[in-house]
Amino acid sequence: MSVVALVGAQWGDEGKGKITDFLAREADCVVRYQGGSNAGHTVVDGGRKYMLHLMPSGILYPDKLCVIGNGVALDLAILVEELKTLESQGIDTSNLRISNRAHILMPYHKKFDELQEHGGRQLGTTRRGIGPAYADKMERVGFRLADVMDTDFPARFAVLVREKNRILQRLYDHAGYDHEAMLDKLLGYVEYIQDYIADTSLLVNQVIDKGRKVLLEGAQGTLLDIDHGTYPYVTSSYPTAGGACIGAGVGPTRISRVVGVAKAYSTRVGEGPFPTELDDEAGSHIRERGAEFGTTTGRPRRCGWLDAVVLRYAARVNGLTDLAITKIDVLDEMDTVKICVGYRWRGKIIQEFPDSLRILQDCEPVYIEMEGWKTSLSGCRTYEELPTAARRYIDQITELTGVRHCLIATGPERNQTIVTNEVFARK
Ligand code: GDP
Ligand code: IMO
Ligand code: MG
């Protein structure tokens, strides 16, 4: 049995798409377990760039079972668009399966997200309707793909749309939705994806039972987790490893390793505390060199030094067994590089990631400063080929987190990846 959960160890955009695609070579099945089209995962293969929002990042391999799990909030319009785009790029999507228990993200969810962001509740969301869709799921007024097949669905849907319209009209001065037009569109999308819909928990567990390799691909990151992140500046799902079990329908006893994807520095997009954020030239340099602009929204990402307090926290709440370190090449030109090892606050040094937003906002990061390597890493294919200063930086991360590394990425391409430890058990 070899089931690997892959999670973002920071604030998202760590390079999960690239690492998933790389590990997918060895896997038999790749499962997206939470989030929705707020995710933007990039895979680059032979100069071709693929931007994936809902699709598991194993989709480029025609022989892998790719699954959108029950934990995903499914925007059907975006899903169908993404399927068509991939097909036009010559990608075979026939191995995709979508959970019959996945909740449908409706047009009104997007509208509420937009209106709430506009109306002063500014979290800097991606405006993809994520919060309102998961809120409806928890309130038990959401609709799963399986529900659409029920004979009473049109009537239940009409009641709910009427309710949503009343809120839209009274609170937001919005005209509301024509539920019949929405229903027609919805049924058209469901028909389009009909052949993909399945009991995916059953399928994934059958793959595991056969002793095959499964990769559970997280979206967003640990610090955006609804429970473990910097609440309320978080997303509305569980990107952490526990969420992988729930969102894929796989028991915790079946997971063999948990890989945290960590950028060699930090970024955040949207609002919320970010202790190591840089407002200076170093921050702009990282943004430009790292092309730190959102895959989903195009927004410039906030950039800062690597934060080992964050990584230690991610190691704890996810039970990380491995780290995949990405984008180390972005630091190639730095004279010196810094890692935050604690937060100074009111004369004390804090080493455990605090729950208080006030502390996170007001604290001063304590850094260790190390020599830069001032040479390009993009061609390095083995750990030994890395310059000493880069190896020291990586070793420092291992020492500070207590987690071994399994992969070091030195560029966006598939082959710009150094394997340092295997994560899938050999047969
Ligand atoms: P994800 O959301 O975690 O999948 O990450 P994104 O795709 O949103 O952002 C990561 C970006 O960095 C993408 O443009 C990747 O192609 C790129 N990338 C991934 N790994 C590396 C790396 O090691 N070096 C460089 N320079 N770029 C990378
Ligand atoms: P991937 O999977 C980075 C951020 C948004 C906002 C907050 C809440 O590509 O790493 P939401 O739309 O989810 O309600 O927004 O979360 N956010 C992400 N940041 N990467 C992501 O996904 C993100 N998905 C959401 O910017 O701050
Ligand atoms: Mg992204």
Side-chain angles (χ1 to χ4, degrees), residues 306-353:
L306 185 70
D307 189 336
V309 182
V310 163
L311 293 190
R312 270 200 309 271
Y313 179 67
R316 164 156 56 92
V317 300
N318 292 294
L320 297 184
T321 59
D322 298 81
L323 276 176
I325 300 169
T326 61
K327 303 192 88 163
I328 188 161
D329 55 295
V330 173
L331 304 178
D332 282 354
E333 289 168 9
M334 294 285 185
D335 292 327
T336 59
V337 283
K338 293 187 190 176
I339 303 178
C340 169
V341 292
Y343 303 144
R344 186 173 289 113
W345 186 70
R346 294 191 178 163
K348 283 187 304 204
I349 304 288
I350 298 174
Q351 278 179 327
E352 295 301 334
F353 192 76

Side-chain angles (χ1 to χ4, degrees), residues 12-18 40-44 49 263 289-292 295 301 325-330 409-412 416:
D13 301 326
E14 297 92 345
K16 298 176 294 295
K18 173 189 159 134
H41 295 185
T42 318
V43 177
V44 185
K49 195 169 176 172
K263 250 183 235 191
R289 234 193 106 89
E292 294 296 354
T295 312
R301 295 174 184 152
I325 300 169
T326 61
K327 303 192 88 163
I328 188 161
D329 55 295
V330 173
T410 57
Q416 290 177 305

Side-chain angles (χ1 to χ4, degrees), residues 123-256:
L123 301 176
T125 73
T126 58
R127 302 184 180 213
R128 295 297 190 272
I130 300 300
Y134 281 115
D136 274 5
K137 174 176 175 174
M138 290 304 177
E139 214 185 330
R140 293 153 296 173
V141 294
F143 295 103
R144 306 166 308 162
L145 276 178
D147 300 325
V148 179
M149 327 290 171
D150 285 347
T151 45
D152 67 346
F153 174 71
R156 285 175 57 209
F157 187 59
V159 171
L160 194 82
V161 175
R162 217 174 301 134
E163 197 179 292
K164 297 289 179 194
N165 279 348
R166 273 206 297 276
I167 302 172
L168 282 168
Q169 287 153 0
R170 291 185 192 175
L171 227 59
Y172 297 103
D173 216 11
H174 181 273
Y177 290 91
D178 171 352
H179 93 266
E180 278 181 6
M182 211 191 308
L183 181 65
D184 275 353
K185 249 193 178 155
L186 179 68
L187 294 177
Y189 290 138
V190 173
E191 199 182 325
Y192 190 89
I193 61 163
Q194 197 60 49
D195 293 346
Y196 299 114
I197 302 174
D199 181 344
T200 55
S201 160
L202 181 63
L203 290 180
V204 175
N205 279 282
Q206 284 168 342
V207 173
I208 300 171
D209 289 342
K210 284 186 195 143
R212 312 296 267 277
K213 297 170 184 170
V214 175
L215 186 56
L216 308 175
E217 176 188 11
Q220 289 79 52
T222 302
L223 275 292
L224 290 173
D225 185 279
I226 186 87
D227 271 52
H228 300 291
T230 51
Y231 191 89
Y233 298 103
V234 292
T235 192
S236 297
S237 68
Y238 299 100
T240 44
C245 296
I246 296 169
V250 165
T253 50
R254 314 211 91 184
I255 293 184
S256 32

